[in-house]
Amino acid sequence: MTEHEDLEREFDHRWANATEHKEPSARARMLAARWKDNPPAPVPFRADPDPAAPRRSSWISTAVVLGCVAALILLIGYARTRTMF
C-alpha cells in the first residue's frame, strides 16, 4: 500500500460523513429515561437574578470619572511647570 492510499483512507471525510448515527450518547439515554415518566418543568431562557446590591446612579460614576481626568490633567500640568524652571 502506498503512502498516497494511506492518506486517502485516513482522511476520507465522505465516508465519515456518510455513516449513520445509530446510538445516542450515554447522557442523552440517561435523560430520556429520566424524563420518560417525569418530564422537566418549563424554565425561562434566562431568569433575571435578584440584584445583590443597589446600583449606583450613572451621574455619580460620571462625576467620579470626570474628577479623575481633571485631577490627572492638573497633575500633568503641574509636573510640566516644575520641569520648565
Side-chain angles (χ1 to χ4, degrees):
M1 196 175 275
T2 66
E3 183 179 340
H4 180 67
E5 290 174 355
D6 285 340
L7 288 175
E8 279 186 19
R9 186 170 46 157
E10 186 174 343
F11 298 109
D12 191 4
H13 295 288
R14 288 174 294 169
W15 174 80
N17 291 334
T19 59
E20 290 187 30
H21 179 72
K22 296 182 181 178
E23 183 177 329
S25 67
R27 177 160 175 79
R29 289 192 310 265
M30 178 196 68
L31 291 175
R34 182 185 300 170
W35 293 344
K36 186 176 184 180
D37 298 325
N38 188 12
V43 178
F45 178 64
R46 290 189 181 172
D48 291 333
D50 295 333
R55 294 186 58 165
R56 289 183 282 178
S57 63
S58 63
W59 70 270
I60 293 175
S61 299
T62 304
V64 168
V65 169
L66 290 177
C68 290
V69 169
L72 185 63
I73 290 172
L74 291 174
L75 182 66
I76 291 172
Y78 177 74
R80 281 190 167 192
T81 57
R82 298 287 290 170
T83 59
M84 288 182 153
F85 298 112

